[in-house]
Amino acid sequence: MKPSLAKGTRDFTATEVSKRQYIIEILKNNFQLYGFQPLETPSFENLSTLTGKYGEEGDRLIFKILNSGNYLDKINSDELQEKNPKTITPKISDKALRYDLTVPFARFVAMNQNNIVFPFKRYQIQPVWRADRPQKGRYREFYQCDADIVGSTSLWQEVELVQLYIQSFQDLKIPITLHINNRKILTGLAEYAEITEQLIDFTVALDKLDKIGKEGVIKELLEKNISQKAIDRLDFLFHQTNNSLGNLKLLKEKFENNIIGLQGIEEIEFVIHNILSLGVSEEILKFDITLARGLDYYTGAIFEVKAQTVQMGSIGGGGRYDNLTEVFGVKNIPGIGISFGLDRIYLVMEELQLFPENSEKSIEYLFANYGNQEAQKSLQIITKLRQKGIVAELYPEEGKMKKFFAYSEKKGVKNLVFIGEDELKNESITIKNQESGEQKTMPIVDFLQ
Amino acid sequence: MKPSLAKGTRDFTATEVSKRQYIIEILKNNFQLYGFQPLETPSFENLSTLTGKYGEEGDRLIFKILNSGNYLDKINSDELQEKNPKTITPKISDKALRYDLTVPFARFVAMNQNNIVFPFKRYQIQPVWRADRPQKGRYREFYQCDADIVGSTSLWQEVELVQLYIQSFQDLKIPITLHINNRKILTGLAEYAEITEQLIDFTVALDKLDKIGKEGVIKELLEKNISQKAIDRLDFLFHQTNNSLGNLKLLKEKFENNIIGLQGIEEIEFVIHNILSLGVSEEILKFDITLARGLDYYTGAIFEVKAQTVQMGSIGGGGRYDNLTEVFGVKNIPGIGISFGLDRIYLVMEELQLFPENSEKSIEYLFANYGNQEAQKSLQIITKLRQKGIVAELYPEEGKMKKFFAYSEKKGVKNLVFIGEDELKNESITIKNQESGEQKTMPIVDFLQ
């Protein structure tokens, strides 16, 4: 039997683990500096906790876990014959794999609302699973990395999270643009064009401006039965400049008496104004009126992060939401969160060659093995090196010098060490630097100094 | 709907995550110093990769994942009516959650045998899942933490892994006893007593000596139809002293001409002798002839780690095995591995109060919020503190001083910071140390120096 990986999954070898760990450590460090605390939830939840939270498509893509024992016993034969997954699945599966980190977080907050100190700032970095058709860059198991603050409606949270984004990507050395919008502005625009009922159709089309251009968006708007009159009224959207503050000013004029729209502008101005006062350069922030992600749940600020010089789509996103826990019967817990796209960040960093060379620990000293006495002496020295935090290793096979050299070559060992008969007698050690080729013999005491 | 955790699962909150992370970091650091490299495998594998590897009971306890789509379509109606999980399960599930880290590791080695440099030293710290009945201290999701070396039969690997165990627990500050035995000694004993066919019955009973005493073991041996004559011959086993080397010497006399038994002794002596030469105290190592874990697969050394002063059973175990990958059609890859019992190590460390107090990062400076201008100035200072690696936070709600104090109390904040009207005017800052109660006002520039 020739083994294989399950479809859509990956092994991560040493280099990949180290590089991923490099990213994660930078993010964790920032999360902690900003006062976020870690949370880890179980890989599977009760099926009822997850279903109905991600729409019909989402429900289909949740990985369900088969019950143990005689799981078919409770189903009557007629029902079984129908072979309808919709009725059978809930009877043979009561658990499912985590689909994202948000719903388990909401479940946690709802369960622990009386013990949690609000505002509650948590970060969570864990894998999630989706039964998507695997394709290039899309896996059935992948990591999400979220930071959320719940229990506060203060706009300072928006400022903090934008700053956290900027600081984290700065530490990763990825030049980014942080796109920012506000659901209230989109609502205001729909009111302004008198298409309030068609807010979603309108924003979905507008969101594609980058990809399909003005003509494409107008075509789609017309297909969705949005009137030419409304489109004419919105024509200014297609003439946004690169000047965020200028665009906001123009919009403010249009929004005279449009309460919700003006509120959105005020919120964005507050965030931008305060971020700039922290010394952040204006080019990083971009008020992007076309940004319309997550309108199912975002109620205020909407964020999206893009790498400046790499074509990769969004490498982060988030926004403000209300009522995180309402589905679990707990009302009035507002929140705001951001997410880092680990897999894409990894790809961007590969492309820009941003990983440090030594993110993987290589062997500093590899000791040859000339026999038991020599090996024993070697291991005593190795022990002392390790106590100093130096990676050292004894080649296990006695006398196999050819294999020893091949191993050292393939592992990229920095120094070869030889303790043979002479060295044993003289309490000395012979070291060959693999880079310079230089070889020297010295007393062991000097080497360990 | 009141949400709950799935049976047998846990949330890990900040304190728990930090403490677990503390353990994991110490283990990872040692793994790396000893030349082990990280590997991460997917959470689920093809069902066929896992079934048949853990015995019948194990197969039952594997969590199977339901196929997507119309998973019942392919099953004919007669078969469906039988409702037999054994025939139905493989048709509606082709994936399953990882049950341990060994089989996925074997799958990885078999798949990548041509790219791997042997000896291959990997460590892996990931959750595994078992459909066990949950009970105190036993969960359906728990972490395993394994280090293995494959591709070498050298006894120096035994020495290295024993040393790795000892160093790791020393770093964790847990006093341990490392029990060591060898499958060949048990085989030798069975030969010696002429009960070779009953090796497993014999060792299973002997393994219980600690719990049920000499009388209990003899009773069980008789029940298993082991002759009184054999039991008489083995009587010396019940008179082992605390002197490992002495016990080995006695056994060696018994084993005259018993080739396999003598080989086992020689291997253990090699390991003990070399470990002692590294300065390890003799009390830590215990030759334990009753130790008989994992005889299904261990072929040489067998290890078990126990905490010295806490009743907790085994907190680590491992041994040498042959043919890790044989089930996947790849022969002759011998190996040796050790495992750390994270959950139990955690409990031992709690009991011995070994976790450092500051394993969780608490807030160093919490800034009160007196209004937008004051908050903006505060955030500028907070930004500079964070750049120095200091955890600082702005309380988001303006003017809510009662809530501010309550929040700081519950979060264990170390210093409260006030930037009000006066401070804003004077470019000063007021800081109250929560421990000493001392409060002082100083220029911001001095504070940031």
Side-chain angles (χ1 to χ4, degrees):
Chain A
M1 180 217 154
K2 222 183 150 90
S4 62
L5 281 161
K7 207 166 60 171
T9 67
R10 298 167 280 179
D11 288 322
F12 294 113
T13 59
T15 316
E16 293 153 341
V17 171
S18 303
K19 287 179 177 171
R20 292 167 65 87
Q21 212 51 44
Y22 174 78
I23 300 172
I24 288 170
E25 284 307 317
I26 285 177
L27 298 181
K28 270 168 74 169
N29 183 44
N30 277 299
F31 292 155
Q32 285 174 357
L33 282 175
Y34 278 71
F36 288 80
Q37 297 195 313
L39 174 70
E40 288 178 18
T41 64
S43 299
F44 57 77
E45 296 276 350
N46 291 320
L47 184 56
S48 56
T49 299
L50 303 185
T51 41
K53 313 297 188 298
Y54 306 107
E56 207 170 317
E57 170 76 353
D59 279 355
R60 271 201 324 104
L61 298 182
I62 293 171
F63 278 117
K64 287 103 188 167
I65 297 172
L66 199 54
N67 292 344
S68 309
N70 296 317
Y71 53 84
L72 289 165
D73 278 5
K74 279 177 257 163
I75 306 175
N76 76 49
S77 300
D78 291 347
E79 197 169 2
L80 207 50
Q81 283 312 336
E82 283 173 22
K83 299 184 178 180
N84 182 352
K86 275 202 184 153
T87 58
I88 304 286
T89 301
K91 294 187 178 174
I92 64 174
S93 163
D94 59 21
K95 295 174 287 300
L97 289 178
R98 187 166 56 211
Y99 181 86
D100 71 359
L101 302 180
T102 306
V103 169
F105 175 52
R107 191 262 311 143
F108 174 85
V109 172
M111 275 178 69
N112 299 281
Q113 50 175 311
N114 297 322
N115 304 317
I116 288 173
V117 183
F118 291 103
F120 178 51
K121 300 164 87 169
R122 87 84 173 79
Y123 73 87
Q124 193 170 355
I125 306 173
Q126 291 191 281
V128 302
W129 297 271
R130 296 186 183 179
D132 258 323
R133 189 174 300 274
Q135 46 182 267
K136 195 172 179 301
R138 188 196 285 169
Y139 300 94
R140 291 182 148 193
E141 173 177 57
F142 58 97
Y143 271 73
Q144 285 194 339
C145 173
D146 289 9
D148 288 78
I149 309 170
V150 293
S152 166
T153 55
S154 164
L155 279 174
W156 288 106
Q157 313 294 34
E158 273 79 344
V159 176
E160 282 249 289
L161 286 181
V162 166
Q163 205 191 358
L164 174 56
Y165 254 150
I166 291 170
Q167 184 64 52
S168 301
F169 284 109
Q170 192 173 306
D171 288 355
L172 291 167
K173 303 194 172 60
I174 301 178
I176 59 153
T177 309
L178 200 151
H179 297 242
I180 176 168
N181 197 3
N182 194 300
R183 198 229 169 85
K184 291 168 187 167
I185 287 179
L186 294 168
T187 307
L189 275 180
E191 270 185 26
Y192 173 76
E194 295 173 357
I195 50 168
T196 311
E197 302 294 305
Q198 289 157 297
L199 173 64
I200 299 292
D201 284 343
F202 156 60
T203 53
V204 165
L206 187 61
D207 194 46
K208 297 180 188 158
L209 182 59
D210 232 22
K211 284 181 202 139
I212 61 178
K214 176 178 171 175
E215 303 307 316
V217 173
I218 290 177
K219 187 162 165 271
E220 184 166 327
L221 289 174
L222 289 169
E223 278 165 13
K224 296 284 178 184
N225 290 320
I226 289 174
S227 70
Q228 186 62 50
K229 188 183 146 215
I231 295 172
D232 288 346
R233 228 170 133 68
L234 293 170
D235 187 68
F236 73 97
L237 291 179
F238 303 114
H239 307 290
Q240 300 281 300
T241 68
N242 274 329
N243 180 340
S244 290
L245 296 174
N247 291 337
L248 276 166
K249 199 170 156 231
L250 179 70
L251 193 58
K252 207 187 271 187
E253 286 161 17
K254 303 266 178 200
F255 274 174
E256 213 185 347
N257 298 325
N258 184 327
I259 294 171
I260 186 90
L262 286 174
Q263 199 183 334
I265 290 177
E266 203 178 303
E267 292 186 3
I268 285 206
E269 282 181 338
F270 182 90
V271 174
I272 292 180
H273 172 68
N274 278 295
I275 287 292
L276 295 182
S277 92
L278 295 170
V280 169
S281 133
E282 205 177 320
E283 301 133 38
I284 291 181
L285 283 184
K286 182 183 159 109
F287 162 56
D288 180 356
I289 203 165
T290 70
L291 177 60
R293 55 180 289 158
L295 284 191
D296 294 351
Y297 40 98
Y298 290 143
T299 54
I302 307 173
F303 307 124
E304 185 165 74
V305 180
K306 286 180 180 166
Q308 270 181 19
T309 54
V310 184
Q311 289 296 325
M312 187 63 70
S314 150
I315 56 173
R320 177 169 282 286
Y321 46 83
D322 290 335
N323 293 322
L324 173 73
T325 51
E326 195 166 10
V327 282
F328 298 117
V330 180
K331 290 195 178 175
N332 299 321
I333 301 192
I336 177 166
I338 59 175
S339 185
F340 292 80
L342 268 192
D343 281 316
R344 287 187 173 177
I345 291 172
Y346 186 101
L347 292 171
V348 168
M349 291 186 60
E350 279 287 20
E351 190 159 332
L352 299 178
Q353 300 185 301
L354 294 175
F355 287 111
E357 270 192 36
N358 55 352
S359 64
E360 191 182 344
K361 274 199 181 178
S362 60
I363 301 167
E364 200 77 29
Y365 295 99
L366 181 69
F367 285 63
N369 184 340
Y370 287 109
N372 282 350
Q373 267 189 291
E374 292 85 351
Q376 189 184 88
K377 173 61 82 180
S378 297
L379 208 50
Q380 286 164 2
I381 300 167
I382 288 169
T383 302
K384 292 199 175 111
L385 290 172
R386 286 172 179 162
Q387 276 159 5
K388 294 180 183 184
I390 295 165
V391 180
E393 209 177 296
L394 168 68
Y395 188 70
E397 319 302 340
E398 184 180 328
K400 304 259 171 75
M401 292 311 287
K402 213 171 145 183
K403 281 190 174 177
F404 166 75
F405 288 115
Y407 179 80
S408 78
E409 200 71 38
K410 286 182 194 153
K411 297 279 282 186
V413 170
K414 293 188 188 147
N415 299 284
L416 303 184
V417 185
F418 306 94
I419 303 224
E421 211 178 322
D422 286 353
E423 284 87 357
L424 201 58
K425 202 169 56 195
N426 303 328
E427 281 283 323
S428 66
I429 187 169
T430 299
I431 296 160
K432 186 182 177 198
N433 182 301
Q434 286 290 75
E435 202 183 341
S436 68
E438 194 193 352
Q439 179 168 324
K440 59 184 170 191
T441 302
M442 63 177 90
I444 290 172
V445 283
D446 290 1
F447 172 68
L448 285 175
Q449 226 162 28
Chain B
M1 180 217 153
K2 222 183 152 87
S4 63
L5 281 160
K7 207 166 60 168
T9 67
R10 299 168 280 179
D11 288 321
F12 294 113
T13 58
T15 315
E16 292 153 341
V17 171
S18 303
K19 287 180 178 171
R20 291 167 64 87
Q21 211 50 44
Y22 174 79
I23 299 172
I24 287 171
E25 283 307 317
I26 285 178
L27 298 181
K28 270 169 74 170
N29 182 44
N30 277 298
F31 293 155
Q32 285 173 358
L33 282 175
Y34 278 71
F36 288 80
Q37 297 196 312
L39 174 70
E40 288 178 18
T41 64
S43 300
F44 56 77
E45 297 276 349
N46 291 320
L47 184 56
S48 56
T49 298
L50 302 185
T51 40
K53 312 299 188 298
Y54 307 106
E56 207 171 318
E57 169 76 354
D59 279 354
R60 272 203 321 106
L61 298 183
I62 293 171
F63 277 118
K64 287 103 189 165
I65 296 171
L66 200 54
N67 291 345
S68 309
N70 296 318
Y71 52 84
L72 290 165
D73 278 5
K74 278 177 257 163
I75 306 175
N76 77 50
S77 299
D78 291 347
E79 196 170 1
L80 206 51
Q81 283 312 334
E82 283 173 21
K83 299 184 178 178
N84 182 353
K86 275 202 183 154
T87 58
I88 305 287
T89 301
K91 295 187 177 174
I92 63 174
S93 163
D94 59 21
K95 295 174 288 298
L97 290 178
R98 189 166 54 211
Y99 181 85
D100 72 0
L101 303 179
T102 306
V103 170
F105 175 51
R107 191 263 311 142
F108 174 85
V109 172
M111 274 178 68
N112 299 282
Q113 50 175 312
N114 297 323
N115 304 317
I116 288 173
V117 183
F118 292 103
F120 178 50
K121 300 164 87 170
R122 86 85 174 77
Y123 72 86
Q124 193 170 352
I125 306 173
Q126 290 192 282
V128 301
W129 298 270
R130 297 186 182 178
D132 260 321
R133 190 175 298 277
Q135 46 183 268
K136 196 172 179 299
R138 188 195 285 169
Y139 300 95
R140 291 182 148 191
E141 172 177 56
F142 58 97
Y143 271 73
Q144 285 194 339
C145 173
D146 288 8
D148 288 78
I149 309 170
V150 293
S152 166
T153 55
S154 164
L155 281 174
W156 288 106
Q157 313 294 34
E158 273 79 345
V159 176
E160 282 249 289
L161 287 180
V162 166
Q163 205 191 357
L164 174 56
Y165 254 150
I166 291 170
Q167 185 64 52
S168 302
F169 283 109
Q170 193 173 305
D171 288 355
L172 291 166
K173 301 195 174 59
I174 301 178
I176 59 152
T177 309
L178 200 151
H179 296 242
I180 176 168
N181 197 4
N182 194 300
R183 161 79 184 239
K184 290 167 187 166
I185 287 179
L186 293 169
T187 307
L189 275 180
E191 270 185 26
Y192 172 76
E194 296 173 358
I195 49 167
T196 311
E197 300 295 305
Q198 289 157 297
L199 174 64
I200 299 293
D201 283 344
F202 158 60
T203 53
V204 164
L206 187 61
D207 194 46
K208 297 179 188 159
L209 182 58
D210 232 24
K211 285 182 201 137
I212 61 178
K214 175 178 172 176
E215 303 308 314
V217 172
I218 290 178
K219 187 162 165 268
E220 185 167 326
L221 289 174
L222 290 169
E223 278 166 14
K224 295 286 179 183
N225 291 319
I226 289 174
S227 69
Q228 185 63 50
K229 189 184 144 214
I231 295 172
D232 288 346
R233 229 172 131 68
L234 294 170
D235 187 67
F236 73 98
L237 291 180
F238 302 115
H239 308 290
Q240 300 280 299
T241 68
N242 274 329
N243 179 341
S244 290
L245 296 174
N247 291 337
L248 276 166
K249 200 172 154 226
L250 179 72
L251 193 60
K252 207 188 272 189
E253 288 161 17
K254 303 267 178 199
F255 274 174
E256 214 185 344
N257 298 324
N258 185 325
I259 294 171
I260 186 89
L262 286 174
Q263 200 184 334
I265 290 178
E266 203 179 304
E267 292 186 4
I268 286 206
E269 281 180 340
F270 181 90
V271 174
I272 293 181
H273 171 68
N274 279 296
I275 287 292
L276 295 182
S277 92
L278 295 169
V280 169
S281 133
E282 205 177 321
E283 301 133 37
I284 291 180
L285 282 184
K286 183 185 158 114
F287 163 56
D288 180 357
I289 203 165
T290 70
L291 177 60
R293 54 181 289 158
L295 284 191
D296 294 352
Y297 40 97
Y298 290 144
T299 54
I302 307 172
F303 306 125
E304 185 165 75
V305 180
K306 287 181 178 165
Q308 271 182 17
T309 53
V310 185
Q311 289 295 327
M312 186 62 71
S314 149
I315 56 174
R320 178 168 281 285
Y321 46 83
D322 289 335
N323 293 320
L324 173 73
T325 52
E326 196 167 8
V327 283
F328 297 118
V330 180
K331 291 195 177 175
N332 298 321
I333 302 191
I336 177 166
I338 58 174
S339 185
F340 291 80
L342 267 192
D343 280 316
R344 286 187 174 178
I345 290 172
Y346 186 101
L347 292 172
V348 168
M349 292 187 59
E350 280 286 20
E351 191 159 330
L352 299 177
Q353 298 185 302
L354 295 175
F355 287 111
E357 270 193 35
N358 54 354
S359 63
E360 191 182 343
K361 275 200 180 177
S362 60
I363 301 166
E364 201 77 29
Y365 295 99
L366 181 70
F367 285 64
N369 185 339
Y370 287 109
N372 282 349
Q373 267 190 292
E374 292 86 349
Q376 188 184 89
K377 174 59 84 180
S378 297
L379 208 50
Q380 286 164 1
I381 300 167
I382 288 169
T383 302
K384 292 199 174 111
L385 289 173
R386 286 171 178 162
Q387 277 159 4
K388 294 182 181 184
I390 296 165
V391 180
E393 208 178 296
L394 169 68
Y395 188 70
E397 319 301 339
E398 183 180 329
K400 304 257 171 75
M401 292 311 285
K402 213 170 143 184
K403 280 190 174 177
F404 165 76
F405 288 115
Y407 178 81
S408 79
E409 200 72 39
K410 286 182 193 154
K411 298 278 281 186
V413 170
K414 293 190 187 145
N415 299 284
L416 303 184
V417 185
F418 306 95
I419 303 228
E421 211 176 321
D422 286 353
E423 284 87 356
L424 201 57
K425 200 169 57 197
N426 304 328
E427 282 283 322
S428 66
I429 186 169
T430 298
I431 295 159
K432 186 183 177 198
N433 182 302
Q434 286 292 78
E435 203 183 342
S436 68
E438 194 193 351
Q439 178 168 324
K440 59 184 170 190
T441 302
M442 64 178 89
I444 291 171
V445 283
D446 291 0
F447 172 67
L448 285 176
Q449 224 161 29

